[in-house]
Amino acid sequence: MRLLERMRKDWFMVGIVLAIAGAKLEPSIGVNGGPLKPEITVSYIAVATIFFNSGLSLKTEELTSALVHLKLHLFIQIFTLAFFPATIWLFLQLLSITPINEWLLKGLQTVGCMPPPVSSAVILTKAVGGNEAAAIFNSAFGSFLGIVITPLLLLLFLGSSSSVPFTSIFSQLFMTVVVPLIIGQIVRRYIKDWLERKKPPFGAISSSVLLMIIYTTFCDTFSNPNIDLDKFSLVLILFIIFSIQLSFMLLTFIFSTRNNSGFTPADTVAIIFCSTHKSLTLAQILLGSVLVPTIKSWMVSRQKGVKLTRPTV
């Protein structure tokens, strides 16, 4: 019984394991062009569902309040689009003298130059009870900025870049993020009383959609088994990714909880997830999910006025 209760409580972590295992067993189902058609169901429908869900669950005042929190936005965008890639570049200068595969290091730098993903940071922030409205704004705004800034960062740090279909990416982000969010807010006006009375499981719905995204992401990963990489480089780079992710999460926590920082505990949660997430990687998914209970306990305690030390990670 205890095991079942534990699994029910940590159903999202169980879901991640099952999603990855399912992708490993039969990756052809979730690859682009496969039966699930993730190029449509994930890229458009799943992401739009997450933001429509957020539009339904958030009060309009929370969204408008988040829009004018300029200090929070500047912190997140500078950290993720300037500090993050620059720090990775400096770190890779040291790793370049090691026997780690050169292309893995270039891949790590490429990920470091990417904007934040539009889904996972929002869902994890919501799961903790953080400033979801701020997470939505910064995930969306960072993705729009990334259309221009990411190619420039790749050119600066790797000496190469590529043409970006600006109009296509912009329209996709607008249709899957902004429009569903606005529609959700409009619908909320008409069913507000019902929502407050029934309290639908918005968090569980968004988390379930994220599991689908995770599944299709790993289907793509496992559908390319013939990548010529030595095991030493692969294991070491995985360890490095986990270490970087954890270090940056801790760093953003320290910066955002300093005296007179001006950030609330809910703001700190949004900062931790939005500033450090670059793409849908196993490291961010696992670390984010594992740390959700710890960060949530810290935030609740702070909101109750109980002074605690930094959360143990």
Side-chain angles (χ1 to χ4, degrees), residues 51 116-118 122 135-145 173 177-178:
F51 284 93
V118 295
V122 173
I136 290 173
F137 176 82
N138 282 282
S139 294
F141 185 59
S143 294
F144 282 115
L145 285 178
L173 285 171
V177 176
V178 179

Side-chain angles (χ1 to χ4, degrees), residues 9-233:
K9 182 180 179 181
D10 297 328
W11 69 271
F12 184 64
M13 285 297 297
V14 174
I16 290 175
V17 174
L18 293 177
I20 296 174
K24 176 64 175 177
L25 289 173
E26 193 54 62
S28 61
I29 295 177
V31 297
N32 284 346
L36 283 183
K37 300 292 183 184
E39 63 273 19
I40 297 174
T41 57
V42 170
S43 298
Y44 291 92
I45 298 176
V47 175
T49 299
I50 290 171
F51 284 93
F52 173 75
N53 191 41
S54 294
L56 274 180
S57 62
L58 283 171
K59 296 177 181 178
T60 303
E61 310 87 76
E62 293 175 328
L63 284 172
T64 53
S65 176
L67 287 175
V68 297
H69 201 335
L70 297 181
K71 185 176 182 180
L72 175 65
H73 306 327
L74 283 173
F75 183 101
I76 291 175
Q77 299 306 326
I78 291 174
F79 191 97
T80 192
L81 293 174
F83 180 83
F84 198 122
T87 303
I88 293 294
W89 181 82
L90 289 173
F91 184 52
L92 293 185
Q93 302 312 300
L94 298 176
L95 293 180
S96 63
I97 62 175
T98 69
I100 298 177
N101 186 286
E102 175 189 2
W103 291 104
L104 281 176
L105 296 180
K106 289 184 177 181
L108 187 58
Q109 182 67 70
T110 300
V111 171
C113 295
M114 293 294 172
V118 295
S119 56
S120 58
V122 173
I123 293 172
L124 291 172
T125 300
K126 184 180 184 68
V128 173
N131 191 337
E132 182 188 358
I136 290 173
F137 176 82
N138 282 282
S139 294
F141 185 59
S143 294
F144 282 115
L145 285 178
I147 297 174
V148 176
I149 294 178
T150 293
L152 296 177
L153 291 173
L154 291 173
L155 183 62
L156 175 64
F157 293 115
L158 292 177
S160 62
S161 187
S162 59
S163 59
V164 176
F166 179 87
T167 304
S168 174
I169 296 176
F170 185 90
S171 61
Q172 180 179 347
L173 285 171
F174 184 79
M175 293 303 297
T176 58
V177 176
V178 179
V179 171
L181 185 66
I182 293 174
I183 294 175
Q185 283 283 287
I186 294 173
V187 173
R188 177 181 170 82
R189 290 187 178 185
Y190 293 97
I191 61 172
K192 180 180 179 181
D193 292 338
W194 180 86
L195 290 173
E196 293 180 352
R197 187 172 64 254
K198 295 295 185 179
K199 299 187 183 302
F202 292 115
I205 294 172
S206 294
S207 296
S208 298
V209 174
L210 181 58
L211 288 177
M212 179 183 176
I213 297 174
I214 292 169
Y215 170 72
T216 56
T217 299
F218 280 92
C219 280
D220 278 334
T221 300
F222 293 132
S223 66
N224 297 292
N226 298 319
I227 301 175
D228 185 21
L229 293 174
D230 61 280
K231 291 183 179 180
F232 170 78
S233 292

Side-chain angles (χ1 to χ4, degrees), residues 174-302:
F174 184 79
M175 293 303 297
T176 58
V177 176
V178 179
V179 171
L181 185 66
I182 293 174
I183 294 175
Q185 283 283 287
I186 294 173
V187 173
R188 177 181 170 82
R189 290 187 178 185
Y190 293 97
I191 61 172
K192 180 180 179 181
D193 292 338
W194 180 86
L195 290 173
E196 293 180 352
R197 187 172 64 254
K198 295 295 185 179
K199 299 187 183 302
F202 292 115
I205 294 172
S206 294
S207 296
S208 298
V209 174
L210 181 58
L211 288 177
M212 179 183 176
I213 297 174
I214 292 169
Y215 170 72
T216 56
T217 299
F218 280 92
C219 280
D220 278 334
T221 300
F222 293 132
S223 66
N224 297 292
N226 298 319
I227 301 175
D228 185 21
L229 293 174
D230 61 280
K231 291 183 179 180
F232 170 78
S233 292
L234 189 58
V235 171
L236 190 55
I237 206 71
L238 286 174
F239 173 77
I240 290 171
I241 290 172
F242 271 95
S243 300
I244 290 173
Q245 187 76 31
L246 186 60
S247 298
F248 280 172
M249 291 177 77
L250 183 60
L251 189 61
T252 54
F253 174 81
I254 292 172
F255 282 154
S256 61
T257 55
R258 291 177 303 152
N259 292 333
N260 303 319
S261 68
F263 298 126
T264 66
D267 293 337
T268 294
V269 173
I271 287 171
I272 289 173
F273 291 124
C274 292
S275 300
T276 61
H277 283 198
K278 283 293 185 175
S279 63
L280 201 61
T281 63
L282 182 61
Q284 77 167 44
I285 295 167
L286 290 181
L287 279 176
S289 301
V290 168
L291 292 177
V292 160
T294 302
I295 298 174
K296 187 173 184 177
S297 297
W298 168 81
M299 192 190 75
V300 170
S301 298
R302 285 292 297 268

